[in-house]
Amino acid sequence: TEGADAADSSDENKVSGHDPTRDATNQPFGYVLRTMQYCAAASTCSNLLSSFQRTPMGGYGANGVCVDSVAVIQSALRPDFSTTLYPIFLYGPSRQEMFQVYDRMKRELCGEGGSKYVHDDFIVSRLQSVMHHLPVDIAPSLSQYPDLCRRILSNIPLNAPFALLDVAKAQIEQLLRESSVLSSPMMPVKCLDERSETSVVKAEEQES
């Protein structure tokens, strides 16, 4: 009934300029509706970009991978644009070109002669903002280590029959604890090299 009522009032919302998804975020139907809107807009952008670039496989790899697509939606759904996923590969020219495609979508969907759905502009603008906030895990800076470590840990299986995974988890937890020191611009590079070398030796000893 709630879903039907929302659908019946959609025309009124278009005229009044009201975005029904904003008020319905905490409701199951509203959350699913917004998620599907983000998925539709993000997939449209991805397909348009790969068509412009003439990249094979729909731009898979060149414009990120499956994890990136999910991270974009998760980031758009969260107030602070955060994501818990790792690794994020969408970066550089591809991210900038995707931002430009969203600009084109806003003009054609929401501009003169477009669909005039108010939430189209909101959804596309939100996804465009994600491009500014989404992390890049290919070459993170030291200041990004804390978030990077937390995301890695959140994606490691709780129980795994691999000793190396336990060693890696311990190393990441240690790196997370020391991230405030690692993030300091005054941290000598020599100290980082020595600590990294020691960690590798210990890991090899535990594995053997």
Side-chain angles (χ1 to χ4, degrees):
T1 303
E2 181 184 352
D5 292 340
D8 292 340
S9 62
S10 60
D11 290 334
E12 180 182 349
N13 289 324
K14 296 176 200 175
V15 176
S16 65
H18 175 64
D19 178 10
T21 61
R22 291 194 181 190
D23 297 338
T25 302
N26 293 326
Q27 302 299 324
F29 174 79
Y31 191 81
V32 172
L33 174 62
R34 175 173 285 190
T35 302
M36 295 305 295
Q37 288 173 330
Y38 283 139
C39 289
S43 60
T44 298
C45 177
S46 180
N47 289 330
L48 285 173
L49 179 57
S50 64
S51 296
F52 298 152
Q53 296 172 329
R54 297 185 179 181
T55 49
M57 299 182 296
Y60 186 86
N63 300 322
V65 294
C66 48
V67 176
D68 297 273
S69 300
V70 179
V72 167
I73 305 303
Q74 184 190 43
S75 178
L77 286 166
R78 293 184 160 201
D80 60 353
F81 292 101
S82 63
T83 180
T84 61
L85 300 179
Y86 173 87
I88 307 298
F89 289 142
L90 181 60
Y91 77 105
S94 295
R95 187 177 293 209
Q96 180 60 35
E97 290 174 0
M98 193 167 288
F99 188 91
Q100 294 170 351
V101 172
Y102 280 127
D103 261 341
R104 177 174 176 177
M105 289 173 62
K106 284 197 293 186
R107 290 195 302 270
E108 297 186 1
L109 286 174
C110 315
E112 186 68 26
S115 65
K116 300 188 185 302
Y117 278 75
V118 175
H119 66 259
D120 282 344
D121 184 69
F122 171 78
I123 293 297
V124 175
S125 296
R126 182 78 179 175
L127 288 170
Q128 199 172 33
S129 296
V130 169
M131 296 297 104
H132 290 301
H133 293 84
L134 205 65
V136 179
D137 296 330
I138 295 177
S141 63
L142 292 179
S143 63
Q144 297 171 320
Y145 274 27
D147 175 66
L148 178 70
C149 291
R150 281 189 287 268
R151 286 187 289 112
I152 294 176
L153 291 172
S154 69
N155 286 275
I156 291 180
L158 296 178
N159 298 299
F162 305 108
L164 183 59
L165 189 60
D166 292 332
V167 174
K169 183 179 179 181
Q171 289 178 331
I172 296 168
E173 289 174 341
Q174 179 183 356
L175 183 57
L176 178 58
R177 289 191 296 269
E178 299 175 350
S179 59
S180 59
V181 178
L182 289 170
S183 301
S184 173
M186 302 301 292
M187 181 70 176
V189 176
K190 181 179 179 181
C191 294
L192 294 177
D193 293 339
E194 289 176 350
R195 178 162 52 216
S196 300
E197 183 178 353
T198 302
S199 299
V200 172
V201 172
K202 288 182 179 179
E204 293 176 349
E205 291 176 351
Q206 293 182 33
E207 275 299 291
S208 60

